[in-house]
Amino acid sequence: LVGLAFKVSAVPFHMWTPDVYQGSPTSVTSFFSVVPKVAGIAIFIKFMYLPFRGLLSEWQYILVFMSIASMILGAIAAMAQTNIKRLMAYSSIGHIGYAIAGMAAGTENGFKSTLVYISIYVVMNIGAFACILLMKRGGKYVEEIGELSGISKNHPLMSLGLLIILFSLAGIPPLAGFFAKFYIFMAVIESEMYTLAIVGLVTTVVSAFYYIRIIKVMYFDESKKPFEKLTDYKIYGSILLSCFLLVSFFLYPSILNEIVSNIKIF
């Protein structure tokens, strides 16, 4: 559990995450934010569901602690950040807390909800870091949230895409991020872990603050010098695809549940 918690940046083994996210090139950070998380959660589920499912009482409250601590730290620490990559680091810690909450339920629905959550989280993160890769001025990447000031006037499509992604990360309906958290909370409540559910709901509300703060900077602050126009349309394609999936998910929200149900581990 210690090794896997370090891998997915769960509290109290999260200390490396903010510095690595901020200090690495953005392309490398985007890799860190997705691939190790998916691999770590997959191994987490494999171990907890197969060999150790019969020992639920031995490890359940360890996961409950990690989940609550990750959600609280992710929600509170991110509010003080001015660097967008560092903010995304604390955001990832909070989101891992929600994913672990599903596993902490110890039920098949709980593990399925975690798989659904991490799948949607990957789409949101790819879109978010694609937007961060567009933050380039004078041949250099900029990372301060203040540099996004008023970009809606100069980069309306980028700002709209980032708005959709941030609202989804915050869990605003009817975007996919809302359904991701909804499935987690349903699994936790079914297991009668009401304290975990309440902490999750409260931290969701708190974390919405720093996502909405970025949107406020983009749309309501005074405009600064625009970013460079990139000719690499693969980045724009990633943003468009992410936004399309996040917005259209409500049309068929059970599709991921059906896919997850067919995975052999269950």
Side-chain angles (χ1 to χ4, degrees):
L1 279 174
V2 169
L4 291 171
F6 182 89
K7 188 77 172 174
V8 300
S9 310
V11 176
F13 309 102
H14 66 284
M15 292 78 72
W16 62 273
T17 313
D19 293 330
V20 169
Y21 270 51
Q22 183 178 356
S24 301
T26 303
S27 57
V28 176
T29 304
S30 62
F31 177 86
F32 275 133
S33 70
V34 173
V35 179
K37 300 288 193 299
V38 174
I41 290 295
I43 298 171
F44 238 123
I45 292 173
K46 196 83 169 177
F47 273 100
M48 296 300 101
Y49 190 82
L50 291 178
F52 298 130
R53 193 180 183 189
L55 299 172
L56 177 64
S57 60
E58 303 293 330
W59 54 260
Q60 184 175 39
Y61 284 99
I62 299 174
L63 292 192
V64 169
F65 167 77
M66 287 198 296
S67 174
I68 290 176
S70 298
M71 289 188 290
I72 292 174
L73 183 126
I76 294 174
M79 289 193 289
Q81 305 307 314
T82 58
N83 182 289
I84 193 165
K85 290 196 324 190
R86 201 171 183 86
L87 182 145
M88 290 301 295
Y90 284 109
S91 169
S92 74
I93 292 169
H95 282 285
I96 285 298
Y98 297 110
I100 292 176
M103 291 186 284
T107 62
E108 187 172 314
N109 282 340
F111 288 108
K112 288 179 180 178
S113 68
T114 295
L115 283 176
V116 170
Y117 192 94
I118 205 69
S119 300
I120 294 173
Y121 172 76
V122 166
V123 174
M124 296 188 292
N125 247 36
I126 289 173
F129 277 96
C131 290
I132 294 172
L133 281 168
L134 295 177
M135 295 173 61
K136 192 175 184 181
R137 187 183 291 130
K140 296 181 179 179
Y141 289 103
V142 292
E143 300 173 0
E144 293 300 308
I145 294 172
E147 298 294 336
L148 291 166
S149 181
I151 66 159
S152 60
K153 301 173 181 66
N154 301 313
H155 304 277
L157 292 179
M158 172 195 169
S159 55
L160 177 62
L162 189 53
L163 178 144
I164 292 170
I165 292 162
L166 291 173
F167 271 150
S168 185
L169 284 166
I172 305 295
L175 299 173
F178 165 77
F179 291 98
K181 290 184 178 178
F182 175 78
Y183 291 136
I184 289 287
F185 292 143
M186 286 298 295
V188 170
I189 291 170
E190 283 175 6
S191 298
E192 299 182 353
M193 303 173 76
Y194 302 117
T195 302
L196 184 57
I198 291 169
V199 172
L201 288 169
V202 171
T203 53
T204 296
V205 174
V206 173
S207 64
F209 166 79
Y210 54 81
Y211 295 123
I212 294 173
R213 177 166 64 99
I214 298 174
I215 295 169
K216 175 258 181 189
V217 169
M218 292 193 301
Y219 280 90
F220 298 104
D221 285 8
E222 188 175 343
S223 180
K224 287 189 174 183
K225 185 179 177 182
F227 296 133
E228 294 178 6
K229 297 286 186 182
L230 295 187
T231 56
D232 187 355
Y233 293 102
K234 293 177 183 177
I235 296 178
Y236 294 104
S238 299
I239 297 171
L240 287 172
L241 180 60
S242 296
C243 291
F244 173 76
L245 292 173
L246 296 176
V247 171
S248 62
F249 187 78
F250 78 96
L251 297 173
Y252 192 8
S254 62
I255 184 170
L256 280 179
N257 272 336
E258 293 173 5
I259 293 171
V260 166
S261 296
N262 294 324
I263 295 177
K264 291 182 180 180
I265 189 174
F266 299 117

